[in-house]
Amino acid sequence: MAISKTITIEGGAIGGSCELTLAFIPPNADFNSIVPIAWKVFTLSDKGTFSWPWNDGPAAARAVIDTNTGVIAPDEFTPLSVGQSTDILLDRSKRPPEYYFTVDLSIL
């Protein structure tokens, strides 16, 4: 059973705005040796709030990095069921070539 919630972060009197990054990191992370994976990046303003829906449904995505700006954006995306696996493949017969995820139909 999937769990869905709304996550809300409230800013106090921070005297302006700030960028916040929520990331996946191990509890004993050494930031000298790892780079966290950003999950959600947003701006929180003075006394503002930021909310978004969250569910525990896992998924797979391919990130695309803009070499001019350094912005990382998801491209191909596929939701996964618990216990399901997927592979990302490149179809070179298409122009331009396209990435796609395989689907494990055995557990659906």
Side-chain angles (χ1 to χ4, degrees), residues 32-98:
N32 293 317
S33 62
I34 69 157
V35 176
I37 299 171
W39 171 62
K40 182 70 87 175
V41 179
F42 58 93
T43 302
L44 188 63
S45 59
D46 192 38
K47 298 181 184 174
T49 62
F50 188 84
S51 297
W52 67 94
W54 177 86
N55 66 54
D56 64 347
R62 182 178 76 93
V64 176
I65 302 170
D66 184 318
T67 56
N68 294 320
T69 64
V71 172
I72 301 172
D75 198 1
E76 292 77 22
F77 170 85
T78 187
L80 298 170
S81 299
V82 174
Q84 184 179 12
S85 65
T86 188
D87 292 313
I88 187 167
L89 303 172
L90 178 61
D91 184 348
R92 294 183 188 275
S93 68
K94 298 190 177 181
R95 295 290 174 247
E98 293 181 6

Side-chain angles (χ1 to χ4, degrees), residues 7-23:
I7 297 174
T8 300
I9 295 180
E10 297 180 358
I14 57 178
S17 63
C18 66
E19 301 293 321
L20 293 179
T21 301
L22 303 179

